[in-house]
Amino acid sequence: MTILLTGATGTLGSQILFSLLEQKFDDIEQLFLPVREKKSSTPEERVLKMLQSVYAPDFVQRNLDQVRSKIKVLPASVLLHPQPVLNDVKITYFIHSAGYVNLSTAQDAKEEIFRENLEFTQQIFEGYAPLIEKFVYISTAFSAGNTGGILSNDYANTQPLAHRNHYEAAKYATERFLIQAGERYDLPIQILRPSVLGGNMMDSPNFFISKYMVFYLFAKFFYKNTSKDRIRITAHSESGLNIVPTDYAAKVITSVFDTDIKQLNIVHPKTTHIIRGICNILETVAFNNFSLTHHQIDETTGFESKLEQFYYRTIGVHLTPYLTSKPCEWDTTLLQQILPIPNYNLEEYLINTIQFAKYYNFRNQQW
């Protein structure tokens, strides 16, 4: 098989790459990786640095030459011009893991978020549809919006409630486009939706993640804080935080991309209670000058400290909709049949992920 994987240097994409090399190495004839150039390194140098890192699996490190022989790195700039790059090579599976994660609710951010997610995917799909056998899209388990209750894997026939931000809305719109475009081209479409990504749980080192996002940003905000101010944090006691280890999500994706499964939510069967989760995070970063409230706090209600004002003007804008979400759970019956999630204590896992991030001072992995 031939595979084209976008986002291979990203948080999830890098783990998908590692899992593909571990689980499907003998089946892969060629693996195309479109990668952006950086000022200090070429796309090829970035991929090599990742393959040689201590975070690469033992299999990759032991068989580096063979691994490199199957990988063809492409400058990201040529991604939208597939014919000259592929030289008539048929792509068996196009795995689109690249995405623009931005949880902003600001109206002036909407155009960019939709352009980088929906419009970019539209361009890719239209350009590659005649050249591929299947299109696999990595979406988000939250594309259904702030929907309570039990969520099935089939979002196609679900009318989402209010999306919490433009990112969720763009991901949902992209899913709708792909389903319709797949029917138009008679091309199989698979939509896989990971939940919030946390540190590794199955691979070494445990708790590693290449980029600190979402709940990590909450932890980082208070870890880096030097103010003595007190802050009220808005959160609803019935809400929950669903975190799935990144390596687990990647292994599931690698296990199902070549199956007939059309939609799959890759989530933890249980959620971390939001109040206990917040308290565990703040205790781990040694911030205790806070209280929790179910009341909305914003410009109209006023702020009780400069720290509180700063929080609600920055990450609080993005995270409060999740800290106050309707309680929900996902049906993981199919997921557990594919790859049972490791059994571990959710609160201990959350604490350990933050401790790991603290040890590395919340520095993102550069490759």
Side-chain angles (χ1 to χ4, degrees):
M1 70 176 80
T2 55
I3 298 174
L4 193 154
L5 171 66
T6 67
T9 58
T11 300
L12 179 57
S14 59
Q15 294 298 318
I16 294 174
L17 173 61
F18 292 156
S19 292
L20 285 171
L21 293 171
E22 279 191 300
Q23 295 176 232
K24 303 289 186 177
F25 185 78
D26 291 337
D27 299 324
I28 296 173
E29 295 177 30
Q30 195 156 38
L31 184 53
F32 293 92
L33 304 178
V35 176
R36 288 190 177 94
E37 183 174 2
K38 286 190 171 183
K39 290 182 179 179
S40 59
S41 55
T42 66
E44 291 81 4
E45 289 169 342
R46 293 184 63 191
V47 171
L48 181 59
K49 182 178 181 181
M50 183 167 56
L51 296 175
Q52 292 177 324
S53 75
V54 295
Y55 303 114
D58 289 340
F59 173 82
V60 172
Q61 296 183 46
R62 291 196 313 267
N63 301 280
L64 185 59
D65 290 340
Q66 295 94 316
V67 166
R68 293 181 66 187
S69 70
K70 293 199 176 188
I71 291 176
K72 183 175 178 58
V73 181
L74 310 174
S77 58
V78 306
L79 180 58
L80 298 180
H81 308 284
Q83 287 284 12
V85 173
L86 298 181
N87 292 321
D88 297 323
V89 174
K90 187 81 171 181
I91 298 296
T92 318
Y93 300 100
F94 191 122
I95 304 177
H96 187 28
S97 178
Y100 177 55
V101 182
N102 183 337
L103 304 184
S104 174
T105 58
Q107 190 60 32
D108 59 4
K110 181 178 180 178
E111 181 179 349
E112 181 184 20
I113 294 170
F114 270 76
R115 182 177 67 250
E116 295 295 328
N117 288 290
L118 172 60
E119 294 176 23
F120 183 51
T121 304
Q122 289 173 330
Q123 291 174 325
I124 287 176
F125 184 85
E126 297 292 350
Y128 282 86
L131 310 172
I132 63 178
E133 296 181 12
K134 183 176 181 178
F135 193 92
V136 180
Y137 181 59
I138 311 303
S139 185
T140 172
F142 300 94
S143 64
N146 191 12
T147 305
I150 299 177
L151 301 179
S152 71
N153 292 303
D154 184 8
Y155 285 9
N157 297 310
T158 298
Q159 185 63 37
L161 299 178
H163 286 111
R164 281 159 285 223
N165 48 58
H166 306 307
Y167 174 70
E168 289 184 356
K171 285 289 193 177
Y172 181 78
T174 305
E175 292 182 23
R176 300 293 295 177
F177 161 77
L178 287 172
I179 291 172
Q180 295 167 5
E183 294 175 353
R184 190 169 71 249
Y185 280 92
D186 193 25
L187 186 67
I189 302 295
Q190 184 181 68
I191 298 172
L192 306 176
R193 306 186 189 92
S195 185
V196 174
L197 297 173
N200 287 351
M201 196 64 201
M202 304 173 75
D203 293 338
S204 179
N206 280 175
F207 315 118
F208 165 77
I209 191 169
S210 66
K211 189 174 184 180
Y212 297 106
M213 298 286 289
V214 193
F215 69 94
Y216 287 103
L217 295 179
F218 181 84
K220 182 180 179 179
F221 179 91
F222 291 101
Y223 179 65
K224 298 287 186 177
N225 168 65
T226 57
S227 170
K228 302 293 186 183
D229 287 353
R230 187 168 181 80
I231 180 174
R232 298 167 297 169
I233 299 172
T234 299
H236 290 176
S237 60
E238 67 273 18
S239 299
L241 179 62
N242 192 287
I243 304 173
V244 63
T246 304
D247 57 347
Y248 172 76
K251 292 180 192 302
V252 171
I253 291 168
T254 304
S255 298
V256 302
F257 76 91
D258 54 357
T259 70
D260 293 331
I261 293 172
K262 290 182 170 59
Q263 300 180 58
L264 181 68
N265 296 324
I266 306 173
V267 299
H268 200 287
K270 298 179 181 179
T271 58
T272 301
H273 188 271
I274 202 68
I275 301 301
R276 292 197 297 272
I278 290 173
C279 292
N280 284 330
I281 290 173
L282 295 182
E283 181 179 351
T284 305
V285 298
F287 181 85
N288 55 25
N289 202 13
F290 71 96
S291 61
L292 298 171
T293 177
H294 66 276
H295 295 295
Q296 176 178 322
I297 299 174
D298 54 28
E299 302 284 350
T300 60
T301 61
F303 305 108
E304 292 188 353
S305 69
K306 289 184 178 180
L307 177 62
E308 189 172 278
Q309 182 183 60
F310 185 50
Y311 170 80
Y312 284 104
R313 285 182 175 178
T314 54
I315 66 166
V317 175
H318 305 154
L319 298 184
T320 299
Y322 292 97
L323 303 183
T324 58
S325 291
K326 295 178 180 179
C328 72
E329 59 182 281
W330 285 265
D331 181 353
T332 59
T333 304
L334 177 59
L335 178 65
Q336 292 286 62
Q337 292 172 358
I338 295 165
L339 182 64
I341 196 164
N343 184 27
Y344 55 88
N345 182 284
L346 294 182
E347 293 186 33
E348 289 181 3
Y349 169 78
L350 181 59
I351 291 170
N352 287 331
T353 59
I354 301 304
Q355 288 177 335
F356 186 95
K358 277 177 55 182
Y359 182 81
Y360 290 96
N361 201 31
F362 291 87
R363 290 191 303 271
N364 295 328
Q365 182 65 38
Q366 298 297 322
W367 46 42

